[in-house]
Amino acid sequence: MVLGAPDCQVQRDRRMESRTVRVERGQRAQVVCVLGTRIVIDLNGGSPADCKWFSMRHSPNIETEILNSDASNQKVVNGEKLWPLSRKTVLELYMTQASAEINDGKITFAYYGKGADAPVDKSGVYLTAVGISLDVDADRDGVVEKNNPHKASWTWGPNGQGAILLVNCDKDSLFSRTVDGDDNISLSKTDLLDMSKMVLRIQGPEKLPTGYQLMLHVSATDAQSLGVFYLHSKVYTHVLGRQKLFYKTRYTGTRELEFFVEGLRFPDEGFDGLVSIKASLLETQVEGIPETPIFTDSVAFRISPLIITPNTLDPIEVYVCSVKENYLFLKAINNLVSDAKLKVRICFEYVNRGDRWMQDEMEFGFIHAPHKSFPVVLDSPRDRGLKDFPIRQLLGPDFGYVTKVADADEVTSLDSFGNLEVSPPVTVRGKNYPLGRILIGSSFPTTSGRRMTKVVRDFLQAQRVQPPIELFSDWLFVGHVDEFLTFVPAPNRKGFRLLLASPAACFRILQDKKQEGHGDAAILQGFETKRWTVTKVLSTDIIVKENGYAQHCIDWNRDILKKELGLTEDDIIDIPALFKLQDGQAIAFFPNMVNMIVLGKILGIPKPYGPVIKETCCLEDYVIDQLKPLDLTCTFIDDVVSYHKKLGEVHCGTNVRRKPFSFKWWQMEEPQSGN
């Protein structure tokens, strides 16, 4: 069939990839045609000199279109329709179905000289059609569909397309010493479940003409970010990735080859998480001459980011250390966890080596693809006594591990993960952050103080889905954002409240108690050699000045948080706190209540040992009164000796693994960078 006027079908076909084939007079070439591509034949190049006309015949499984030939000047000679032949006349064709056998598509050309009524010469092409499709789950429904038209690109949003990879950072085999992706071995079928399926679908005759081969290949850059496994001789063999840039397989007719693809690294500085794999049909015309590709199909993946969970998500498991002198603290945490109907996991001293700061060592998150999700622990570069706990005690089947290594002389207290928090989901000036935003502490903008190390900041920024906000925390001696803020769930439109430490709120409470005649009530009664009463705190000039400075620093952050999280004053609750300066930086004067553990509606709050008025602590009463409308239960935990005097509190000494977001990260509108 000759296609004349370009109807809708022809216009669609014009978007097919095309391949030029050259024919020689008196010869019949053998050509393999991949379904969905067009063959372009230069008719003038294969004709004898001085030929002005040609005729054509072809089998019914071929569709053709003649271009650059004046159809109005056609003529018929001996029953054959002849087309005018010019130097630019070409034939475009495609095959409509896969071949059942070699050369079952045929097209012949007869060439006529000026005034001749018989052909001067003939040529032709034998065609074998094959279907080749490299397929992935491009529509993100958990199923590898066939030949998705958007599989070679990746887009964000509810209607986005493109496949997703998980970093294979768990350890499914007891025989492995590190994460599964660190080697080129798949020791268990459960390991394959972490990987994304990729299928090479082939349709056609049992064999092709000699000289054709299929090849999977990746760029040298992408090879460092992915691995591909294939079942060979009953063993899943590593065939692509790292140093392996290609994998060749023989063509053996209609079949489906199932591959499993793993991610090897998270998005990071200089790596956006996008990788691609290609499948090519190679042709060798003469033995000893290099192969050339005649068809290439491509698929794109984005590697799942690490998503860190805010403390407003439902808790699953609580982690805490057992060290000298924290027995009563452990007992209180156990009771709190029992009330919340959760599990507690205690890290004993032979593992923690005296390091009690569970929050500082690690942060919990998760990775998510349509086929799988599992938790991942992000290990901080602080490398103190707990440094081996995440990889030795947490890494396992469906529990991943990742760390960022920094030069030891670059690591400061700000690289501990008490200095890394995540906001709940927010909307800011019409921009949605359905997974919240990362909050990290840094130095004051006009100073060269401490800052979280660059490798960690770059890593967090590269995940993109929780754009980081840098706050000012270097005013604190320890320097962590959890020393002045936390989030709690709330039954309001936003679903949370921001709690901020507030010396101003504390001074207001103390002033009220003094006016009520309770100026002699003590703070930290029994824990300080020097007796601090309400009146003494209010009248000590250095305390007032130092807390004026602390409040100024907190207010700086308050304004940033309101702007970057889209908050109003109604979204913020001030929690009374006092600070004192040590070597020019602030530490908590009494246990810092904002440094709490949040277990759903149950809060474990450092017991402040504030002024006792009518048998109850007035600071505790204030906090209970502020949080009661949110239906939150406050439990105050004594941590003075075991944590507070060592410059930390309840939150610093605990950690919580939480349920992941139900929101699918790939459905976000394309995220922008943070501040």
Side-chain angles (χ1 to χ4, degrees):
M1 174 183 176
V2 176
L3 298 180
D7 60 11
C8 294
Q9 178 64 44
V10 174
Q11 290 180 16
R12 285 196 298 272
D13 293 337
R14 285 198 177 283
R15 291 199 295 269
M16 295 178 180
E17 292 185 14
S18 61
R19 173 188 167 209
T20 298
V21 171
R22 301 192 180 277
V23 296
E24 296 184 16
R25 54 182 295 189
Q27 302 293 321
R28 294 210 173 182
Q30 289 191 105
V31 173
V32 172
C33 176
V34 179
L35 295 178
T37 64
R38 298 171 70 92
I39 300 294
V40 180
I41 299 174
D42 177 7
L43 293 176
N44 185 68
S47 68
D50 299 325
C51 281
K52 301 299 181 182
W53 305 88
F54 74 95
S55 66
M56 175 183 64
R57 291 183 180 182
H58 60 81
S59 54
N61 57 353
I62 298 175
E63 297 282 354
T64 66
E65 182 180 10
I66 297 171
L67 304 177
N68 302 322
S69 177
D70 188 354
S72 64
N73 288 330
Q74 291 178 12
K75 65 180 181 179
V76 177
V77 175
N78 297 329
E80 290 284 340
K81 181 188 292 185
L82 271 58
W83 294 73
L85 181 64
S86 73
R87 288 191 304 169
K88 295 183 178 181
T89 302
V90 297
L91 173 72
E92 292 191 356
L93 66 88
Y94 63 90
M95 296 192 69
T96 58
Q97 60 189 35
S99 294
E101 57 185 29
I102 292 177
N103 299 332
D104 68 356
K106 297 178 177 64
I107 185 165
T108 60
F109 307 101
Y111 300 100
Y112 295 78
K114 185 175 182 181
D117 58 0
V120 176
D121 209 340
K122 293 184 178 181
S123 64
V125 178
Y126 289 144
L127 292 151
T128 304
V130 296
I132 299 174
S133 177
L134 187 62
D135 292 324
V136 291
D137 178 19
D139 61 2
R140 306 167 187 168
D141 64 354
V143 178
V144 177
E145 66 274 10
K146 186 175 181 180
N147 214 15
N148 186 307
H150 306 290
K151 64 185 179 181
S153 59
W154 209 96
T155 52
W156 296 84
N159 299 315
Q161 298 284 338
I164 294 166
L165 288 182
L166 297 178
V167 176
N168 199 2
C169 61
D170 68 340
K171 187 177 74 169
D172 287 304
S173 172
L174 296 176
F175 302 103
S176 177
R177 294 185 177 182
T178 183
V179 300
D180 291 335
D182 276 359
D183 54 38
N184 296 337
I185 303 171
S186 181
L187 295 174
S188 66
K189 288 188 176 181
T190 54
D191 188 22
L192 299 177
L193 298 178
D194 299 334
M195 304 183 195
S196 296
K197 284 185 180 180
M198 179 176 71
V199 179
L200 180 58
R201 292 185 167 104
I202 305 165
Q203 187 181 8
E206 291 185 5
K207 61 179 182 178
L208 294 179
T210 57
Y212 291 92
Q213 197 169 31
L214 287 164
M215 183 175 76
L216 291 181
H217 51 108
V218 295
S219 70
T221 300
D222 286 353
Q224 306 309 309
S225 304
L226 60 83
V228 180
F229 290 83
Y230 176 63
L231 182 61
H232 180 71
S233 300
K234 298 183 179 180
V235 176
Y236 283 95
T237 303
H238 180 261
V239 297
L240 207 61
R242 289 201 171 94
Q243 304 307 313
K244 298 178 181 178
L245 302 185
F246 63 88
Y247 171 68
K248 291 182 179 180
T249 181
R250 288 192 312 112
Y251 175 91
T252 56
T254 298
R255 59 175 175 158
E256 292 189 356
L257 284 69
E258 190 172 66
F259 297 87
F260 293 86
V261 189
E262 64 178 352
L264 299 183
R265 59 174 179 151
F266 284 93
D268 211 332
E269 175 71 10
F271 174 54
D272 61 7
L274 287 171
V275 293
S276 63
I277 301 175
K278 294 178 171 61
S280 291
L281 181 63
L282 306 179
E283 178 185 67
T284 302
Q285 294 182 336
V286 180
E287 187 174 351
I289 300 298
E291 304 157 319
T292 56
I294 64 170
F295 170 79
T296 297
D297 204 13
S298 181
V299 294
F301 296 90
R302 182 179 286 277
I303 294 176
S304 169
L306 175 63
I307 303 165
I308 300 173
T309 50
N311 61 15
T312 49
L313 289 174
D314 290 338
I316 297 174
E317 190 172 32
V318 175
Y319 298 79
V320 64
C321 288
S322 173
V323 294
K324 293 177 182 178
E325 86 251 334
N326 83 333
Y327 170 76
L328 293 177
F329 179 83
L330 274 182
K331 185 177 180 181
I333 293 296
N334 268 308
N335 291 336
L336 188 77
V337 172
S338 178
D339 291 343
K341 296 180 172 56
L342 301 172
K343 295 186 298 182
V344 65
R345 188 161 175 176
I346 298 175
C347 175
F348 293 98
E349 201 155 6
Y350 72 91
V351 176
N352 66 52
R353 293 175 290 187
D355 184 0
R356 70 192 67 208
W357 308 111
M358 185 63 81
Q359 183 65 223
D360 289 343
E361 181 58 36
M362 61 192 186
E363 195 71 43
F364 286 110
F366 67 97
I367 54 178
H368 188 194
H371 70 282
K372 187 77 178 281
S373 176
F374 58 78
V376 175
V377 59
L378 174 61
D379 193 1
S380 78
R382 68 191 283 269
D383 285 351
R384 291 171 60 179
L386 276 165
K387 67 178 184 178
D388 295 330
F389 176 74
I391 193 166
R392 292 189 179 179
Q393 303 292 318
L394 299 182
L395 174 63
D398 287 345
F399 205 124
Y401 170 89
V402 63
T403 190
K404 299 306 298 180
V405 178
D407 292 338
D409 58 354
E410 294 180 357
V411 176
T412 70
S413 173
L414 270 65
D415 292 301
S416 299
F417 285 163
N419 194 35
L420 195 166
E421 295 296 315
V422 179
S423 81
V426 292
T427 299
V428 185
R429 298 180 294 277
K431 173 67 176 176
N432 291 324
Y433 298 92
L435 302 174
R437 298 189 68 178
I438 289 170
L439 309 175
I440 58 175
S442 191
S443 55
F444 197 72
T446 59
T447 68
S448 57
R450 296 169 296 173
R451 194 180 185 195
M452 184 176 282
T453 189
K454 185 176 185 300
V455 294
V456 177
R457 285 186 284 112
D458 288 345
F459 177 80
L460 297 173
Q461 183 73 44
Q463 307 313 303
R464 296 193 67 187
V465 295
Q466 297 174 302
I469 302 168
E470 284 199 61
L471 300 173
F472 171 40
S473 67
D474 195 34
W475 63 279
L476 291 155
F477 186 85
V478 176
H480 295 175
V481 293
D482 69 353
E483 296 178 75
F484 63 86
L485 68 82
T486 193
F487 297 91
V488 294
N492 67 334
R493 178 176 56 84
K494 282 191 171 71
F496 70 91
R497 292 285 199 280
L498 167 64
L499 308 188
L500 285 178
S502 176
C506 188
F507 278 132
R508 284 196 300 271
I509 295 168
L510 298 182
Q511 289 283 7
D512 289 345
K513 298 310 170 186
K514 180 182 178 181
Q515 291 178 5
E516 293 170 5
H518 303 293
D520 289 336
I523 297 173
L524 282 174
Q525 180 73 41
F527 292 103
E528 293 285 332
T529 54
K530 187 176 184 179
R531 190 170 187 271
W532 289 98
T533 64
V534 170
T535 298
K536 189 169 186 178
V537 168
L538 292 173
S539 61
T540 302
D541 187 58
I542 188 64
I543 291 180
V544 174
K545 289 181 178 179
E546 289 177 349
N547 277 279
Y549 165 72
Q551 186 64 62
H552 176 75
C553 294
I554 294 169
D555 286 344
W556 174 278
N557 290 299
R558 186 190 202 98
D559 293 337
I560 294 174
L561 290 163
K562 287 168 69 175
K563 175 185 176 184
E564 296 295 336
L565 298 181
L567 306 181
T568 67
E569 283 298 320
D570 290 339
D571 300 316
I572 302 172
I573 297 176
D574 290 318
I575 301 299
L578 286 182
F579 296 89
K580 56 186 176 181
L581 296 190
Q582 178 174 305
D583 298 327
Q585 293 174 309
I587 61 175
F589 187 89
F590 56 78
N592 186 356
M593 290 183 287
V594 80
N595 193 273
M596 64 180 70
I597 183 173
V598 180
L599 303 177
K601 293 185 176 183
I602 296 176
L603 309 180
I605 305 173
K607 187 174 180 64
Y609 286 98
V612 176
I613 312 296
K614 297 180 181 179
E615 299 183 349
T616 61
C617 170
C618 65
L619 299 181
E620 292 182 21
D621 290 344
Y622 177 85
V623 171
I624 291 170
D625 183 62
Q626 292 295 305
L627 299 181
K628 187 176 181 180
L630 307 183
D631 195 26
L632 299 174
T633 300
C634 300
T635 299
F636 292 90
I637 297 174
D638 178 4
D639 73 351
V640 175
V641 174
S642 53
Y643 289 87
H644 171 72
K645 286 185 175 294
K646 294 175 172 57
L647 306 185
E649 311 288 0
V650 172
H651 186 260
C652 305
T654 58
N655 215 316
V656 183
R657 181 165 65 90
R658 301 180 183 276
K659 292 181 179 179
F661 286 101
S662 59
F663 180 84
K664 299 177 176 63
W665 62 267
W666 54 87
Q667 293 186 349
M668 292 179 64
E669 297 300 329
E670 184 166 3
Q672 304 298 317
S673 300
N675 70 339

